[in-house]
């Protein structure tokens, strides 16, 4: 019995040591996260300052009507040319559906156009 008791005491001692090590490592990991967080925030602020981005720019939502009462975010590409911002304009619609839907002719064919073509109509019938 004495051998068994000695083994369990050693196992318990090892377990306690490991738990202490885990606690120390978790504290170290948390410290690293805090330092990394502070550095990341600092880097982001520097980038925002360099590009003239404000907090309002990050939360601004611009929407464009897309027919049938749907609203979608307007995506505008920003190109920096010679140190100035150049905003790309949305592409004009090449096709208009009977309910006012628009399609630039780029990308996948929208459902409304597919349905009209399936009914025997031509895309050119809806060219703007």
């Amino acid at each position: 019995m004495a051998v068994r008791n000695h083994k369990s005491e050693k196992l318990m001692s090892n377990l306690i040591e490991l738990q202490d090590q885990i606690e120390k490592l978790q504290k170290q990991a948390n410290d690293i996260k805090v330092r990394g967080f502070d550095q990341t925030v600092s880097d982001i602020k520097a980038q925002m300052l360099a590009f003239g981005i404000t907090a309002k720019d990050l939360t601004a939502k611009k929407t464009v009507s897309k027919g049938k009462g749907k609203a979608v975010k307007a995506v505008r590409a920003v190109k920096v040319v010679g140190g100035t911002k150049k905003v790309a304009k949305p592409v004009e619609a090449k096709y208009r559906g009977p309910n006012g839907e628009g399609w630039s002719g780029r990308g996948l064919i929208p459902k409304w156009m597919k349905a009209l073509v399936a009914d025997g109509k031509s895309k050119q019938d809806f060219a703007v």
Side-chain angles (χ1 to χ4, degrees):
M1 278 301 220
V3 174
R4 241 184 172 166
N5 196 16
H6 178 66
K7 283 185 179 180
S8 67
E9 285 177 11
K10 184 167 174 111
L11 285 174
M12 194 60 155
S13 172
N14 287 343
L15 177 63
I16 291 170
E17 284 180 37
L18 287 173
Q19 287 175 333
D20 288 343
Q21 287 178 357
I22 289 170
E23 186 178 339
K24 287 177 186 175
L25 290 171
Q26 285 177 332
K27 285 180 182 177
Q28 286 178 356
N30 192 42
D31 290 344
I32 291 169
K33 275 185 186 178
V34 168
R35 282 194 306 266
F37 177 84
D38 292 342
Q39 183 61 47
T40 302
V41 170
S42 177
D43 293 345
I44 291 170
K45 285 180 178 179
Q47 291 290 321
M48 289 176 68
L49 183 63
F51 287 96
I53 299 170
T54 65
K56 187 176 180 181
D57 293 331
L58 299 176
T59 59
K61 292 182 182 179
K62 295 182 181 182
T63 58
V64 180
S65 177
K66 192 177 177 181
K68 290 192 177 180
K70 294 180 184 176
V72 254
K73 277 188 183 178
V75 179
R76 294 182 185 244
V78 176
K79 296 180 184 178
V80 177
V81 181
T84 61
K85 290 182 187 179
K86 186 176 183 182
V87 178
K89 294 180 183 174
V91 180
E92 292 292 323
K94 285 176 74 174
Y95 303 98
R96 260 311 148 213
N99 298 321
E101 309 96 322
W103 179 45
S104 67
R106 297 182 182 178
L108 297 173
I109 299 173
K111 290 179 183 178
W112 61 266
M113 179 65 84
K114 281 183 183 178
L116 293 169
V117 171
D119 286 343
K121 302 203 176 169
S122 167
K123 284 196 292 188
Q124 295 309 316
D125 296 338
F126 302 97
V128 177

